[in-house]
């Protein structure tokens, strides 16, 4: 089997320099990349750079090497077409089928998955014309990532920043892994909410009750949902992971904050996946000063109270008709029996049950689980990368949408 064929379109935005890193990740991981810049893109990064990094000649026009019919052949042979940065101009041209250079012609001939990574000023991204063009492209099956929030050109900040190239690469890798079927995104048009990480309940200004969750499984679920076309809101509790490309991230600390953020986001969600490790208990009293250790004295007893059961609340009070709710259960013994009892108690549609402990699930790159369904189904997930489990969860969720 040959190398995956990737076409990397580059349009004329200042973020073009960051795309050199995306190109490097593709080539170093065994992909054959053909870079197709616009004329404007070459004002930011020159032709020699793209050619040297990709190992292929670079052209912007259909008139170069005419005998090879590049405006048709490049798109026909691609396994994935990525446009990064995607400016407002290239999004408009793609939405309206304009073809005035090699990149826009290639966009019309490609029959593989197409992914746009927009980057522009906030006002341009929010303009109704851009939003209508994005909606058109998504309706046709293209993946248009949500821009990141952060520093823009000059002193401006806001939504419109190019997502981190490493995170764009992760989304692309997931799209390629799904094969040709990913040209039709089965979560397109769906809004989903994913929680990730572990909540922390403060005891005093320096101590808290917490857990070992790293957030890696929730982040894998978020990235995979983006790669399958969903609009994703990630409620992240105390993680140090980089924001996934194309995801709206809401950061929280405690179980109460996570509940508030999830319920707010769930109001417009087709599915909610509660992958976060939420503390069952919190201290009954918060001590405003650091609890001191005193010689000869035992520490004061720690009184705990229950936190709200967010998963059960979501399952009982669905925010919208047909909403799918997925829970996660971390067990240390009698995994399947405890999981089945928890599924009945929580009332969710699917429950992902895994055994946790030292070097198991928490903090690891791998996971092993069984997905229990309210319909009595059981789907085992063998030990492997957490993204494999994420793919399976969305494969089970997608057919449940009414």
């Amino acid at each position: 089997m040959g190398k995956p064929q990737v076409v990397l379109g580059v349009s004329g935005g200042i973020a073009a320099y960051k795309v050199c890193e995306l190109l490097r990740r593709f080539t170093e991981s065994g992909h054959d990349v053909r870079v197709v810049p616009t004329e404007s893109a070459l004002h930011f990064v020159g032709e020699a750079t793209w050619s040297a990094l990709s190992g292929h000649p670079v052209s912007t026009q259909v008139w170069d090497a005419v005998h090879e019919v590049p405006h048709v052949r490049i798109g026909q042979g691609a396994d994935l077409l990525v446009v990064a940065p995607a400016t407002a101009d290239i999004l408009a041209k793609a939405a309206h089928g304009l073809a005035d250079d090699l990149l826009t012609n290639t966009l019309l001939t490609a029959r593989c998955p197409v992914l746009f990574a927009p980057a522009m000023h906030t006002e341009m991204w929010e303009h109704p014309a851009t939003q209508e063009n994005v909606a058109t492209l998504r309706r046709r099956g293209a993946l248009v990532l949500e821009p990141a929030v952060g520093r823009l050109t000059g002193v401006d900040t806001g939504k419109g920043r190019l997502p981190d190239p490493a995170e764009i690469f992760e989304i692309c890798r997931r799209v390629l892994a799904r094969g040709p079927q990913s040209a039709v995104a089965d979560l397109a048009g769906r809004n989903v909410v994913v929680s990730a990480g572990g909540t922390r309940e403060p005891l005093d200004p320096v101590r808290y009750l917490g857990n070992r969750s790293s957030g890696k499984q929730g982040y894998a679920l978020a990235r995979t949902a983006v790669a399958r076309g969903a609009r994703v809101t990630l409620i992240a509790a105390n993680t140090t992971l980089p924001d996934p490309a194309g995801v709206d991230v809401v950061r929280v600390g405690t179980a109460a904050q996570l509940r508030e953020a999830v319920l707010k986001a769930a109001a417009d969600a087709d599915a909610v996946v509660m992958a976060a490790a939420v503390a069952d208990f919190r201290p009954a009293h918060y001590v405003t000063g650091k609890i001191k250790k005193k010689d000869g004295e035992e520490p004061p007893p720690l009184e705990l109270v229950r936190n709200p059961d967010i998963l059960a609340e979501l399952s009982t009070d669905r925010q919208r008709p047909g909403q799918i709710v997925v829970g996660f259960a971390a067990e240390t013994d009698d995994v399947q029996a405890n999981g089945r009892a928890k599924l009945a108690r929580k009332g969710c549609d699917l429950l992902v049950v895994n055994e946790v402990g030292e070097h198991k699930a928490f903090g690891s790159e791998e996971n092993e689980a069984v997905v229990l369904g309210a319909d009595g189904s059981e789907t085992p997930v063998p030990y492997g990368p957490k993204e494999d489990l994420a793919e399976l969860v969305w494969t089970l969720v997608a057919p449940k949408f009414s």
Side-chain angles (χ1 to χ4, degrees):
M1 183 182 239
K3 293 181 178 181
Q5 303 296 304
V6 176
V7 175
L8 178 58
V10 185
S11 60
I14 185 64
Y17 78 92
K18 297 181 181 179
V19 181
C20 295
E21 170 67 13
L22 177 60
L23 173 56
R24 184 187 68 81
R25 287 182 178 271
F26 274 124
T27 57
E28 289 189 356
S29 57
H31 300 80
D32 188 20
V33 186
R34 179 73 178 263
V35 180
V36 183
T38 65
E39 285 284 356
S40 296
L42 296 182
H43 286 283
F44 297 98
V45 180
E47 179 182 334
T49 299
W50 298 122
S51 181
L53 291 177
S54 68
H56 290 291
V58 169
S59 176
T60 65
Q61 299 299 324
V62 298
W63 307 111
D64 296 329
V66 174
H67 65 287
E68 296 179 358
V69 199
H71 73 288
V72 175
R73 296 288 179 256
I74 294 174
Q76 284 181 334
D79 296 306
L80 174 67
L81 198 165
V82 184
V83 182
T87 60
D89 179 68
I90 200 69
L91 292 172
K93 288 179 177 178
H96 292 279
L98 300 182
D100 60 356
D101 63 3
L102 186 56
L103 177 55
T104 49
N105 274 271
T106 301
L107 283 166
L108 287 179
T109 59
R111 293 297 179 266
C112 60
V114 177
L115 183 150
F116 294 90
M120 65 197 75
H121 266 68
T122 306
E123 294 86 352
M124 299 175 73
W125 172 253
E126 294 177 346
H127 194 283
T130 303
Q131 289 301 302
E132 287 182 17
N133 291 332
V134 168
T136 296
L137 291 168
R138 286 173 172 165
R139 188 172 64 250
R140 293 177 185 159
L143 293 176
V144 185
L145 303 182
E146 289 291 309
V149 176
R151 183 73 177 268
L152 305 173
T153 307
V155 298
D156 293 341
T157 60
K159 189 167 189 176
R161 183 182 175 91
L162 185 75
D164 185 271
E167 289 298 319
I168 297 175
F169 174 73
E170 285 301 313
I171 300 298
C172 293
R173 192 169 63 81
R174 283 158 170 74
V175 173
L176 282 165
R178 294 189 64 221
Q181 72 268 27
S182 62
V184 179
D186 58 355
L187 297 182
R190 299 295 182 181
N191 292 333
V192 304
V193 176
V194 178
S195 70
T199 61
R200 296 176 179 177
E201 308 300 325
L203 292 163
D204 63 20
V206 298
R207 302 181 180 92
Y208 60 84
L209 293 177
N211 56 64
R212 297 177 184 270
S213 178
S214 65
K216 291 179 179 179
Q217 185 63 72
Y219 275 58
L221 283 156
R223 291 189 186 96
T224 301
V226 170
R228 295 173 76 149
R231 174 75 182 270
V232 182
T233 300
L234 176 65
I235 314 298
N238 303 298
T239 70
T240 58
L241 302 172
D243 291 351
V247 171
D248 292 322
V249 180
V250 179
R251 301 195 179 280
V252 298
T254 67
Q257 292 168 350
L258 187 140
R259 174 183 177 273
E260 180 181 1
V262 167
L263 292 180
K264 180 179 179 181
D268 191 38
D270 297 293
V272 182
V273 180
M274 289 292 294
V278 183
D280 293 323
F281 309 100
R282 68 180 185 274
H285 306 288
Y286 174 75
V287 180
T288 57
K290 179 182 176 183
I291 301 172
K292 298 291 187 180
K293 178 176 67 175
K294 298 180 181 179
D295 292 340
E297 293 185 14
E298 292 296 318
L302 179 60
E303 183 183 355
L304 301 176
V305 295
R306 285 184 178 273
N307 271 323
D309 191 328
I310 306 171
L311 179 58
E313 184 176 357
L314 284 167
S315 301
T316 302
D317 302 319
R318 307 279 170 140
Q319 297 284 321
R320 56 187 300 180
Q323 187 176 76
I324 308 302
V325 178
V326 181
F328 271 66
E331 300 291 343
T332 57
D333 53 70
D334 295 329
V335 173
Q336 201 144 328
N338 287 336
R340 185 58 72 180
K342 184 170 287 188
L343 174 63
R345 192 166 64 251
K346 302 289 186 179
C348 50
D349 300 285
L350 296 169
L351 187 71
V352 182
V353 187
N354 52 11
E355 186 175 0
V356 298
E358 199 74 33
H359 308 301
K360 289 183 179 180
F362 285 152
S364 171
E365 300 295 335
E366 291 79 31
N367 207 345
E368 181 179 6
V370 58
V371 183
L372 305 178
D375 58 1
S377 61
E378 295 183 5
T379 307
V381 185
Y383 186 79
K386 288 185 173 178
E387 62 190 56
D388 290 353
L389 175 56
E391 288 283 2
L392 177 68
V393 168
W394 292 120
T395 296
L396 293 174
V397 167
K400 294 182 179 294
F401 290 128
S402 54

